[in-house]
């Protein structure tokens, strides 16, 4: 064994307190290690404390555990398109500049200054949102942005309206907080504003690319929603899901830019444009909520980890982020068109595409299959290595639409044809 | 202007949709940019939506805004001692291995597998805690660990006991959730268990190094606390604050290892041993709570950002972390002894040190000054560039102890004498 190995082993033992080094005398087993060696046959009960009952009704997501050969799951970008070679030097540069900093204290709860400034400029350019860095709070993705808003705005027992069907994680968050979740139907024009019940404190919507249906909320609906919110003294939480990936012209104005009464809170994320594991998102709050939002972030976890915030700030500021989004957008568009063509051509008897012009997924409603039949098809597809989501999975109420949701963030372009061929066979059998 | 600059500018404009490039034809201002150019004189109201009233009573921390020439504030490690040269290659290695990964999905809510395994081994060695990786949830520091536990265990209106004086951020968290916070006195033996009121669902304690008093809870008190929790069907949340920095032998067993009934939840942090801006901590939950804790992390923010989790896993596993803690522990010990000597020698008329054997701060109670006088001294000290915390700042109830808290994480060893000399003058004037 080399001398270095032995030295490392001794250093670890000393570091962990197992041995004591006495200069000039040698190394000795420490007193407590000698004691601990005798061991105790300790047996802890593991069942005394129970969690609040609400947690029994919240499922833990399992979808991301099993990798699929043909992966049409939604919510995932293509990690092979991530600009690793540009990202690594940016992270390294932040680490080097940290070396020169003599004091590293807790960050401001609102987030890294440079990132907030970069986000404010970026959403000004790309989404027409007028915001200063002071309007922005960096969060751990969309999910934490919604958690912070729930803390700031909603008491247990309050009601929040969500789109039906709806992204599952936010719904579960609201339920876990004792907030009553009301599903409101979505049609081809977006959320059916006339179906919003009274007594709702907040409405959570994905107007750019409804998740999971994929429709874009029309301008008329956007205006109706804002008027409704004003009449009912409600808040609108605008999750700009997929808003960065527009393929046909410019999308409609965000609700936030149409809002004249300060009722809209805008939520954005870098999970799809960059990587979900970065856990970086943000929200833009009206100034009446700014202090409370910062306080809610502070009590939640002080602030978001700074290293990747600083690297992302540099990536946005040097134009790399906008170029990256444009580049991957072209690839996603190609995949989208491939899938749409195959669905129209080979699945015409079974599925009808929901018209949509942007994003990372396509939704197709079933022409005849029941919810149970779609579940069987999903299971058969899984058996041959094809992962898809059922539309019914996202239903809030009882009246589930039948259909499937096809994401194209995680599947390479070259695998799409074969994956859909296998999926088609599952519809026939 | 160089060709490269022009190219970059055009790329940014195209990336943001301001111009459209038509192959062979040229670059044109896009349709929407032309429209947007006409501008709208939009004016948003900023005062419509109000936060829940509870947020008015929660202060946003301001202490970390202003740097001090002589910084005796608590809760900060010395960033110049951070092992930058070892940390950077670990982060870079993770980034390089990400390049080879074809799929990067959301992480499991419990956290990065390697880090959970490394933490389990580490706290087994250093703190005698028997835990497997499945018992561990990675959190964004202690603060989020407490938030998750509050979500899992406590309803609004429930009561939690905290030590008085107490670290402010957890108290504010509990208050913001509508949980009733009860302060319980601390004496030289730790939390006064006999003073715990009935009807308390959880007790939040810092037994290793009470924050801010600095005492270590005696074994007798630890046993009394566990017996009390068992009699009262309560949970004990053990924040092992400063437990890594032990200077005199091995500290007492964590409550978690003494617990035979599965009532103790252990919370640890890397904010002081590494850096607070990493936002990395963890909790060890009894198995009866494991699923609920994972679900609460999932609805909060899915999971903690993975890059630094993976780097920390490697740092712990290769022994670097234990060596680092040992190395900086020696430096902190030296600072601690310097401060203790000066307080005993030069402040004997004014202050009495609270005996304590570990950690990153010393507390000295005042022999005669009132709370207001200590506030005056703190202000005078700030004027000459010396930052200290008042003990009264941490009081939960009315009966504030008078004294000061001196951290030595953020002040270089060479500055301690001069800082204390300036502070001493503030006591005389």
């Amino acid at each position: 064994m080399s001398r270095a190995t032995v030295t490392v082993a001794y250093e670890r033992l000393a570091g962990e307190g197992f041995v004591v080094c006495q200069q000039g005398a040698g190394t000795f087993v420490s007193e407590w290690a000698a004691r601990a060696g005798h061991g105790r046959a300790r047996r802890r009960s593991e069942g005394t404390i129970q969690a609040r009952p609400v947690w029994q009704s919240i499922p833990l997501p399992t979808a991301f555990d099993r990798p699929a050969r043909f992966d049409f799951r939604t919510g995932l970008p293509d990690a092979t398109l991530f600009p690793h070679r540009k990202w690594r030097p940016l992270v390294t540069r932040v680490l080097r500049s940290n070396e020169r900093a003599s004091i590293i204290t807790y960050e401001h709860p609102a987030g890294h200054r440079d990132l907030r400034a970069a986000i404010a400029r970026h959403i000004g350019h790309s989404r027409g949102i007028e915001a200063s860095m002071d309007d922005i709070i960096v969060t751990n993705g969309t999910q934490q942005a919604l958690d912070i808003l729930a803390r700031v705005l909603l008491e247990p027992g309050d009601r929040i309206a969500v789109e039906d069907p709806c992204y599952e994680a936010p719904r579960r968050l609201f339920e876990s907080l004792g907030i009553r979740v009301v599903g409101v139907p979505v049609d081809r024009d977006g959320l059916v504003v006339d179906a919003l019940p009274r007594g709702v404190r907040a409405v959570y919507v994905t107007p750019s690319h409804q998740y999971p249906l994929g429709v874009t909320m029309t301008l008329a609906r956007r205006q109706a929603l804002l008027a409704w919110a004003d009449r009912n003294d409600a808040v609108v939480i605008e999750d700009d899901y997929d808003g960065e990936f527009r393929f046909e012209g410019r999308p409609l104005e965000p609700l936030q830019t149409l809002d004249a009464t300060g009722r809209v809170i805008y939520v954005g994320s870098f999970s799809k444009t960059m990587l979900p594991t970065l856990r970086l998102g943000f929200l833009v709050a009206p100034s009446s909520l700014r202090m409370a939002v910062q306080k809610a972030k502070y009590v939640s976890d002080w602030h978001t980890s700074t290293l990747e915030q600083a690297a992302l700030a540099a990536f946005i500021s040097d134009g790399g982020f906008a170029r990256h989004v444009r580049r991957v957008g072209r690839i996603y568009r190609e995949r989208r068109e491939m899938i749409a063509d195959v669905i129209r051509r080979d699945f015409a008897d079974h599925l009808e595409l929901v018209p949509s012009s942007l994003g990372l997924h396509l939704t197709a409603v079933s022409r005849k299959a029941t919810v149970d039949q779609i579940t069987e098809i999903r299971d058969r597809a899984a058996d041959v290595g094809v992962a898809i989501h059922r539309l019914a999975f996202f239903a809030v109420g009882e009246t589930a639409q039948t259909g499937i949701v096809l994401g194209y963030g995680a599947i390479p372009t070259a695998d799409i044809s074969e994956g859909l061929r296998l999926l088609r066979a599952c519809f026939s059998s």
Side-chain angles (χ1 to χ4, degrees), chain A residues 70 72 335 338-343 346-347 386 388 404 406 411 415-427:
Chain A
F70 300 95
F72 289 104
R335 294 183 188 172
M338 282 181 72
I339 294 173
D341 288 349
V342 175
I343 297 291
D346 298 342
F347 290 73
V386 179
I388 60 169
I404 64 170
L406 296 169
I411 188 159
D415 288 348
I416 287 176
S417 293
E418 176 64 6
L420 291 178
R421 198 189 60 73
L422 289 166
L423 179 62
R424 182 63 185 77
C426 300
F427 272 83

PDB file of all heavy atoms in Angstrom, chain A residues 70 72 335 338-343 346-347 386 388 404 406 411 415-427:
ATOM      1  N   PHE A  70     -38.440   4.882 -25.504  1.00  0.00           N
ATOM      2  CA  PHE A  70     -39.031   5.962 -26.307  1.00  0.00           C
ATOM      3  C   PHE A  70     -39.822   6.844 -25.336  1.00  0.00           C
ATOM      4  O   PHE A  70     -40.890   6.461 -24.881  1.00  0.00           O
ATOM      5  CB  PHE A  70     -39.919   5.398 -27.422  1.00  0.00           C
ATOM      6  CG  PHE A  70     -39.165   4.509 -28.381  1.00  0.00           C
ATOM      7  CD1 PHE A  70     -39.146   3.132 -28.208  1.00  0.00           C
ATOM      8  CD2 PHE A  70     -38.442   5.062 -29.433  1.00  0.00           C
ATOM      9  CE1 PHE A  70     -38.436   2.317 -29.075  1.00  0.00           C
ATOM     10  CE2 PHE A  70     -37.723   4.252 -30.308  1.00  0.00           C
ATOM     11  CZ  PHE A  70     -37.710   2.868 -30.121  1.00  0.00           C
ATOM     12  N   PHE A  72     -41.878   9.834 -24.389  1.00  0.00           N
ATOM     13  CA  PHE A  72     -42.747  10.944 -24.797  1.00  0.00           C
ATOM     14  C   PHE A  72     -43.347  11.644 -23.572  1.00  0.00           C
ATOM     15  O   PHE A  72     -44.401  12.262 -23.676  1.00  0.00           O
ATOM     16  CB  PHE A  72     -43.881  10.423 -25.698  1.00  0.00           C
ATOM     17  CG  PHE A  72     -43.445   9.987 -27.072  1.00  0.00           C
ATOM     18  CD1 PHE A  72     -43.327   8.640 -27.388  1.00  0.00           C
ATOM     19  CD2 PHE A  72     -43.160  10.933 -28.054  1.00  0.00           C
ATOM     20  CE1 PHE A  72     -42.940   8.239 -28.660  1.00  0.00           C
ATOM     21  CE2 PHE A  72     -42.765  10.538 -29.328  1.00  0.00           C
ATOM     22  CZ  PHE A  72     -42.648   9.189 -29.632  1.00  0.00           C
ATOM     23  N   ARG A 335     -39.367  18.326 -34.212  1.00  0.00           N
ATOM     24  CA  ARG A 335     -39.962  17.140 -33.576  1.00  0.00           C
ATOM     25  C   ARG A 335     -41.482  17.261 -33.528  1.00  0.00           C
ATOM     26  O   ARG A 335     -42.211  16.304 -33.781  1.00  0.00           O
ATOM     27  CB  ARG A 335     -39.422  16.989 -32.142  1.00  0.00           C
ATOM     28  CG  ARG A 335     -37.956  16.675 -32.101  1.00  0.00           C
ATOM     29  CD  ARG A 335     -37.483  16.470 -30.676  1.00  0.00           C
ATOM     30  NE  ARG A 335     -36.030  16.356 -30.631  1.00  0.00           N
ATOM     31  CZ  ARG A 335     -35.318  16.321 -29.520  1.00  0.00           C
ATOM     32  NH1 ARG A 335     -35.915  16.384 -28.347  1.00  0.00           N
ATOM     33  NH2 ARG A 335     -34.003  16.222 -29.565  1.00  0.00           N
ATOM     34  N   MET A 338     -42.969  16.592 -36.885  1.00  0.00           N
ATOM     35  CA  MET A 338     -42.932  15.154 -37.177  1.00  0.00           C
ATOM     36  C   MET A 338     -44.087  14.436 -36.484  1.00  0.00           C
ATOM     37  O   MET A 338     -44.809  13.629 -37.087  1.00  0.00           O
ATOM     38  CB  MET A 338     -41.625  14.529 -36.673  1.00  0.00           C
ATOM     39  CG  MET A 338     -40.416  14.779 -37.537  1.00  0.00           C
ATOM     40  SD  MET A 338     -38.954  13.955 -36.819  1.00  0.00           S
ATOM     41  CE  MET A 338     -39.348  12.243 -37.180  1.00  0.00           C
ATOM     42  N   ILE A 339     -44.231  14.718 -35.185  1.00  0.00           N
ATOM     43  CA  ILE A 339     -45.282  14.033 -34.413  1.00  0.00           C
ATOM     44  C   ILE A 339     -46.652  14.407 -34.948  1.00  0.00           C
ATOM     45  O   ILE A 339     -47.511  13.541 -35.172  1.00  0.00           O
ATOM     46  CB  ILE A 339     -45.161  14.383 -32.911  1.00  0.00           C
ATOM     47  CG1 ILE A 339     -43.866  13.813 -32.343  1.00  0.00           C
ATOM     48  CG2 ILE A 339     -46.370  13.851 -32.131  1.00  0.00           C
ATOM     49  CD1 ILE A 339     -43.560  14.243 -30.923  1.00  0.00           C
ATOM     50  N   ALA A 340     -46.872  15.685 -35.203  1.00  0.00           N
ATOM     51  CA  ALA A 340     -48.179  16.133 -35.688  1.00  0.00           C
ATOM     52  C   ALA A 340     -48.512  15.450 -37.015  1.00  0.00           C
ATOM     53  O   ALA A 340     -49.654  14.992 -37.225  1.00  0.00           O
ATOM     54  CB  ALA A 340     -48.188  17.657 -35.836  1.00  0.00           C
ATOM     55  N   ASP A 341     -47.531  15.353 -37.904  1.00  0.00           N
ATOM     56  CA  ASP A 341     -47.774  14.703 -39.205  1.00  0.00           C
ATOM     57  C   ASP A 341     -48.181  13.244 -39.019  1.00  0.00           C
ATOM     58  O   ASP A 341     -49.129  12.770 -39.661  1.00  0.00           O
ATOM     59  CB  ASP A 341     -46.511  14.767 -40.080  1.00  0.00           C
ATOM     60  CG  ASP A 341     -46.267  16.181 -40.593  1.00  0.00           C
ATOM     61  OD1 ASP A 341     -47.187  17.037 -40.449  1.00  0.00           O
ATOM     62  OD2 ASP A 341     -45.166  16.438 -41.106  1.00  0.00           O
ATOM     63  N   VAL A 342     -47.468  12.525 -38.166  1.00  0.00           N
ATOM     64  CA  VAL A 342     -47.767  11.107 -37.962  1.00  0.00           C
ATOM     65  C   VAL A 342     -49.143  10.928 -37.312  1.00  0.00           C
ATOM     66  O   VAL A 342     -49.911  10.044 -37.696  1.00  0.00           O
ATOM     67  CB  VAL A 342     -46.665  10.421 -37.114  1.00  0.00           C
ATOM     68  CG1 VAL A 342     -47.051   8.974 -36.804  1.00  0.00           C
ATOM     69  CG2 VAL A 342     -45.325  10.477 -37.835  1.00  0.00           C
ATOM     70  N   ILE A 343     -49.453  11.764 -36.346  1.00  0.00           N
ATOM     71  CA  ILE A 343     -50.758  11.643 -35.671  1.00  0.00           C
ATOM     72  C   ILE A 343     -51.878  11.884 -36.677  1.00  0.00           C
ATOM     73  O   ILE A 343     -52.853  11.121 -36.746  1.00  0.00           O
ATOM     74  CB  ILE A 343     -50.869  12.648 -34.486  1.00  0.00           C
ATOM     75  CG1 ILE A 343     -49.833  12.338 -33.407  1.00  0.00           C
ATOM     76  CG2 ILE A 343     -52.294  12.654 -33.903  1.00  0.00           C
ATOM     77  CD1 ILE A 343     -50.054  11.069 -32.645  1.00  0.00           C
ATOM     78  N   ASP A 346     -51.486   8.657 -39.348  1.00  0.00           N
ATOM     79  CA  ASP A 346     -51.624   7.256 -38.931  1.00  0.00           C
ATOM     80  C   ASP A 346     -52.597   7.042 -37.774  1.00  0.00           C
ATOM     81  O   ASP A 346     -52.994   5.911 -37.497  1.00  0.00           O
ATOM     82  CB  ASP A 346     -50.257   6.682 -38.536  1.00  0.00           C
ATOM     83  CG  ASP A 346     -49.281   6.685 -39.700  1.00  0.00           C
ATOM     84  OD1 ASP A 346     -49.746   6.805 -40.857  1.00  0.00           O
ATOM     85  OD2 ASP A 346     -48.066   6.595 -39.463  1.00  0.00           O
ATOM     86  N   PHE A 347     -52.923   8.097 -37.065  1.00  0.00           N
ATOM     87  CA  PHE A 347     -53.788   7.940 -35.888  1.00  0.00           C
ATOM     88  C   PHE A 347     -55.157   8.584 -36.118  1.00  0.00           C
ATOM     89  O   PHE A 347     -55.914   8.775 -35.177  1.00  0.00           O
ATOM     90  CB  PHE A 347     -53.136   8.584 -34.652  1.00  0.00           C
ATOM     91  CG  PHE A 347     -51.922   7.857 -34.116  1.00  0.00           C
ATOM     92  CD1 PHE A 347     -50.713   7.889 -34.796  1.00  0.00           C
ATOM     93  CD2 PHE A 347     -51.989   7.161 -32.917  1.00  0.00           C
ATOM     94  CE1 PHE A 347     -49.590   7.241 -34.285  1.00  0.00           C
ATOM     95  CE2 PHE A 347     -50.872   6.508 -32.402  1.00  0.00           C
ATOM     96  CZ  PHE A 347     -49.671   6.538 -33.092  1.00  0.00           C
ATOM     97  N   VAL A 386     -42.450   2.442 -24.629  1.00  0.00           N
ATOM     98  CA  VAL A 386     -42.921   3.763 -25.042  1.00  0.00           C
ATOM     99  C   VAL A 386     -43.654   4.415 -23.857  1.00  0.00           C
ATOM    100  O   VAL A 386     -44.655   3.869 -23.384  1.00  0.00           O
ATOM    101  CB  VAL A 386     -43.856   3.674 -26.260  1.00  0.00           C
ATOM    102  CG1 VAL A 386     -44.361   5.066 -26.650  1.00  0.00           C
ATOM    103  CG2 VAL A 386     -43.146   3.014 -27.432  1.00  0.00           C
ATOM    104  N   ILE A 388     -45.892   7.385 -22.389  1.00  0.00           N
ATOM    105  CA  ILE A 388     -46.763   8.534 -22.686  1.00  0.00           C
ATOM    106  C   ILE A 388     -47.570   8.874 -21.434  1.00  0.00           C
ATOM    107  O   ILE A 388     -47.672   8.071 -20.508  1.00  0.00           O
ATOM    108  CB  ILE A 388     -47.756   8.238 -23.846  1.00  0.00           C
ATOM    109  CG1 ILE A 388     -48.657   7.040 -23.466  1.00  0.00           C
ATOM    110  CG2 ILE A 388     -47.018   7.975 -25.156  1.00  0.00           C
ATOM    111  CD1 ILE A 388     -49.830   6.847 -24.410  1.00  0.00           C
ATOM    112  N   ILE A 404     -54.270  11.519 -25.078  1.00  0.00           N
ATOM    113  CA  ILE A 404     -52.898  11.330 -24.633  1.00  0.00           C
ATOM    114  C   ILE A 404     -52.115  12.625 -24.821  1.00  0.00           C
ATOM    115  O   ILE A 404     -52.503  13.505 -25.593  1.00  0.00           O
ATOM    116  CB  ILE A 404     -52.187  10.184 -25.401  1.00  0.00           C
ATOM    117  CG1 ILE A 404     -52.062  10.528 -26.892  1.00  0.00           C
ATOM    118  CG2 ILE A 404     -52.926   8.865 -25.213  1.00  0.00           C
ATOM    119  CD1 ILE A 404     -51.167   9.554 -27.647  1.00  0.00           C
ATOM    120  N   LEU A 406     -48.242  14.002 -25.595  1.00  0.00           N
ATOM    121  CA  LEU A 406     -46.951  13.564 -26.122  1.00  0.00           C
ATOM    122  C   LEU A 406     -45.925  14.680 -25.974  1.00  0.00           C
ATOM    123  O   LEU A 406     -46.010  15.714 -26.647  1.00  0.00           O
ATOM    124  CB  LEU A 406     -47.079  13.174 -27.599  1.00  0.00           C
ATOM    125  CG  LEU A 406     -47.976  11.967 -27.908  1.00  0.00           C
ATOM    126  CD1 LEU A 406     -48.219  11.863 -29.418  1.00  0.00           C
ATOM    127  CD2 LEU A 406     -47.331  10.678 -27.401  1.00  0.00           C
ATOM    128  N   ILE A 411     -37.223  12.973 -26.070  1.00  0.00           N
ATOM    129  CA  ILE A 411     -36.999  11.936 -27.089  1.00  0.00           C
ATOM    130  C   ILE A 411     -36.181  12.507 -28.256  1.00  0.00           C
ATOM    131  O   ILE A 411     -36.513  13.564 -28.797  1.00  0.00           O
ATOM    132  CB  ILE A 411     -38.341  11.345 -27.596  1.00  0.00           C
ATOM    133  CG1 ILE A 411     -38.081  10.142 -28.498  1.00  0.00           C
ATOM    134  CG2 ILE A 411     -39.200  12.388 -28.305  1.00  0.00           C
ATOM    135  CD1 ILE A 411     -39.272   9.221 -28.635  1.00  0.00           C
ATOM    136  N   ASP A 415     -35.632   9.072 -32.904  1.00  0.00           N
ATOM    137  CA  ASP A 415     -36.411   7.974 -32.316  1.00  0.00           C
ATOM    138  C   ASP A 415     -37.914   8.166 -32.460  1.00  0.00           C
ATOM    139  O   ASP A 415     -38.700   7.276 -32.094  1.00  0.00           O
ATOM    140  CB  ASP A 415     -36.088   7.836 -30.822  1.00  0.00           C
ATOM    141  CG  ASP A 415     -34.698   7.251 -30.592  1.00  0.00           C
ATOM    142  OD1 ASP A 415     -34.105   6.750 -31.562  1.00  0.00           O
ATOM    143  OD2 ASP A 415     -34.221   7.314 -29.442  1.00  0.00           O
ATOM    144  N   ILE A 416     -38.329   9.312 -32.946  1.00  0.00           N
ATOM    145  CA  ILE A 416     -39.757   9.638 -32.918  1.00  0.00           C
ATOM    146  C   ILE A 416     -40.571   8.683 -33.793  1.00  0.00           C
ATOM    147  O   ILE A 416     -41.599   8.140 -33.352  1.00  0.00           O
ATOM    148  CB  ILE A 416     -39.972  11.114 -33.333  1.00  0.00           C
ATOM    149  CG1 ILE A 416     -39.504  12.025 -32.191  1.00  0.00           C
ATOM    150  CG2 ILE A 416     -41.441  11.385 -33.680  1.00  0.00           C
ATOM    151  CD1 ILE A 416     -39.573  13.499 -32.491  1.00  0.00           C
ATOM    152  N   SER A 417     -40.125   8.439 -35.036  1.00  0.00           N
ATOM    153  CA  SER A 417     -40.908   7.598 -35.948  1.00  0.00           C
ATOM    154  C   SER A 417     -41.116   6.207 -35.373  1.00  0.00           C
ATOM    155  O   SER A 417     -42.242   5.689 -35.347  1.00  0.00           O
ATOM    156  CB  SER A 417     -40.207   7.485 -37.303  1.00  0.00           C
ATOM    157  OG  SER A 417     -40.222   8.736 -37.925  1.00  0.00           O
ATOM    158  N   GLU A 418     -40.044   5.604 -34.911  1.00  0.00           N
ATOM    159  CA  GLU A 418     -40.143   4.252 -34.375  1.00  0.00           C
ATOM    160  C   GLU A 418     -41.027   4.222 -33.121  1.00  0.00           C
ATOM    161  O   GLU A 418     -41.850   3.315 -32.947  1.00  0.00           O
ATOM    162  CB  GLU A 418     -38.725   3.718 -34.068  1.00  0.00           C
ATOM    163  CG  GLU A 418     -38.667   2.352 -33.411  1.00  0.00           C
ATOM    164  CD  GLU A 418     -39.221   1.219 -34.279  1.00  0.00           C
ATOM    165  OE1 GLU A 418     -39.554   1.476 -35.454  1.00  0.00           O
ATOM    166  OE2 GLU A 418     -39.340   0.096 -33.758  1.00  0.00           O
ATOM    167  N   GLY A 419     -40.873   5.220 -32.260  1.00  0.00           N
ATOM    168  CA  GLY A 419     -41.698   5.282 -31.059  1.00  0.00           C
ATOM    169  C   GLY A 419     -43.177   5.370 -31.390  1.00  0.00           C
ATOM    170  O   GLY A 419     -44.011   4.677 -30.786  1.00  0.00           O
ATOM    171  N   LEU A 420     -43.504   6.207 -32.363  1.00  0.00           N
ATOM    172  CA  LEU A 420     -44.921   6.359 -32.729  1.00  0.00           C
ATOM    173  C   LEU A 420     -45.453   5.115 -33.443  1.00  0.00           C
ATOM    174  O   LEU A 420     -46.630   4.769 -33.312  1.00  0.00           O
ATOM    175  CB  LEU A 420     -45.104   7.600 -33.613  1.00  0.00           C
ATOM    176  CG  LEU A 420     -44.892   8.943 -32.894  1.00  0.00           C
ATOM    177  CD1 LEU A 420     -45.037  10.093 -33.871  1.00  0.00           C
ATOM    178  CD2 LEU A 420     -45.856   9.115 -31.720  1.00  0.00           C
ATOM    179  N   ARG A 421     -44.580   4.421 -34.212  1.00  0.00           N
ATOM    180  CA  ARG A 421     -44.990   3.178 -34.857  1.00  0.00           C
ATOM    181  C   ARG A 421     -45.379   2.138 -33.795  1.00  0.00           C
ATOM    182  O   ARG A 421     -46.421   1.471 -33.888  1.00  0.00           O
ATOM    183  CB  ARG A 421     -43.841   2.651 -35.727  1.00  0.00           C
ATOM    184  CG  ARG A 421     -44.253   1.623 -36.789  1.00  0.00           C
ATOM    185  CD  ARG A 421     -43.043   1.000 -37.459  1.00  0.00           C
ATOM    186  NE  ARG A 421     -42.154   0.299 -36.531  1.00  0.00           N
ATOM    187  CZ  ARG A 421     -42.433  -0.880 -35.967  1.00  0.00           C
ATOM    188  NH1 ARG A 421     -43.562  -1.501 -36.223  1.00  0.00           N
ATOM    189  NH2 ARG A 421     -41.566  -1.440 -35.133  1.00  0.00           N
ATOM    190  N   LEU A 422     -44.549   2.045 -32.767  1.00  0.00           N
ATOM    191  CA  LEU A 422     -44.856   1.113 -31.676  1.00  0.00           C
ATOM    192  C   LEU A 422     -46.145   1.527 -30.957  1.00  0.00           C
ATOM    193  O   LEU A 422     -46.973   0.681 -30.602  1.00  0.00           O
ATOM    194  CB  LEU A 422     -43.683   1.078 -30.674  1.00  0.00           C
ATOM    195  CG  LEU A 422     -42.408   0.387 -31.165  1.00  0.00           C
ATOM    196  CD1 LEU A 422     -41.230   0.711 -30.247  1.00  0.00           C
ATOM    197  CD2 LEU A 422     -42.631  -1.132 -31.223  1.00  0.00           C
ATOM    198  N   LEU A 423     -46.295   2.838 -30.754  1.00  0.00           N
ATOM    199  CA  LEU A 423     -47.496   3.322 -30.070  1.00  0.00           C
ATOM    200  C   LEU A 423     -48.748   3.016 -30.903  1.00  0.00           C
ATOM    201  O   LEU A 423     -49.785   2.610 -30.371  1.00  0.00           O
ATOM    202  CB  LEU A 423     -47.382   4.832 -29.817  1.00  0.00           C
ATOM    203  CG  LEU A 423     -48.575   5.493 -29.122  1.00  0.00           C
ATOM    204  CD1 LEU A 423     -48.786   4.923 -27.721  1.00  0.00           C
ATOM    205  CD2 LEU A 423     -48.392   7.013 -29.040  1.00  0.00           C
ATOM    206  N   ARG A 424     -48.636   3.198 -32.221  1.00  0.00           N
ATOM    207  CA  ARG A 424     -49.778   2.951 -33.103  1.00  0.00           C
ATOM    208  C   ARG A 424     -50.269   1.503 -32.982  1.00  0.00           C
ATOM    209  O   ARG A 424     -51.486   1.245 -32.944  1.00  0.00           O
ATOM    210  CB  ARG A 424     -49.373   3.250 -34.558  1.00  0.00           C
ATOM    211  CG  ARG A 424     -50.490   3.068 -35.581  1.00  0.00           C
ATOM    212  CD  ARG A 424     -51.636   4.028 -35.321  1.00  0.00           C
ATOM    213  NE  ARG A 424     -52.763   3.811 -36.213  1.00  0.00           N
ATOM    214  CZ  ARG A 424     -53.646   2.821 -36.092  1.00  0.00           C
ATOM    215  NH1 ARG A 424     -53.526   1.952 -35.108  1.00  0.00           N
ATOM    216  NH2 ARG A 424     -54.634   2.699 -36.935  1.00  0.00           N
ATOM    217  N   ALA A 425     -49.299   0.584 -32.872  1.00  0.00           N
ATOM    218  CA  ALA A 425     -49.665  -0.830 -32.743  1.00  0.00           C
ATOM    219  C   ALA A 425     -50.460  -1.073 -31.457  1.00  0.00           C
ATOM    220  O   ALA A 425     -51.331  -1.949 -31.408  1.00  0.00           O
ATOM    221  CB  ALA A 425     -48.406  -1.696 -32.778  1.00  0.00           C
ATOM    222  N   CYS A 426     -50.164  -0.293 -30.421  1.00  0.00           N
ATOM    223  CA  CYS A 426     -50.883  -0.457 -29.154  1.00  0.00           C
ATOM    224  C   CYS A 426     -52.344  -0.018 -29.277  1.00  0.00           C
ATOM    225  O   CYS A 426     -53.209  -0.466 -28.527  1.00  0.00           O
ATOM    226  CB  CYS A 426     -50.207   0.341 -28.041  1.00  0.00           C
ATOM    227  SG  CYS A 426     -48.513  -0.148 -27.734  1.00  0.00           S
ATOM    228  N   PHE A 427     -52.626   0.898 -30.195  1.00  0.00           N
ATOM    229  CA  PHE A 427     -54.009   1.329 -30.413  1.00  0.00           C
ATOM    230  C   PHE A 427     -54.805   0.244 -31.140  1.00  0.00           C
ATOM    231  O   PHE A 427     -56.002   0.108 -30.949  1.00  0.00           O
ATOM    232  CB  PHE A 427     -54.032   2.632 -31.237  1.00  0.00           C
ATOM    233  CG  PHE A 427     -53.955   3.862 -30.380  1.00  0.00           C
ATOM    234  CD1 PHE A 427     -52.730   4.336 -29.925  1.00  0.00           C
ATOM    235  CD2 PHE A 427     -55.106   4.541 -30.011  1.00  0.00           C
ATOM    236  CE1 PHE A 427     -52.651   5.459 -29.131  1.00  0.00           C
ATOM    237  CE2 PHE A 427     -55.033   5.672 -29.224  1.00  0.00           C
ATOM    238  CZ  PHE A 427     -53.806   6.139 -28.770  1.00  0.00           C
TER     239      PHE A 427
END
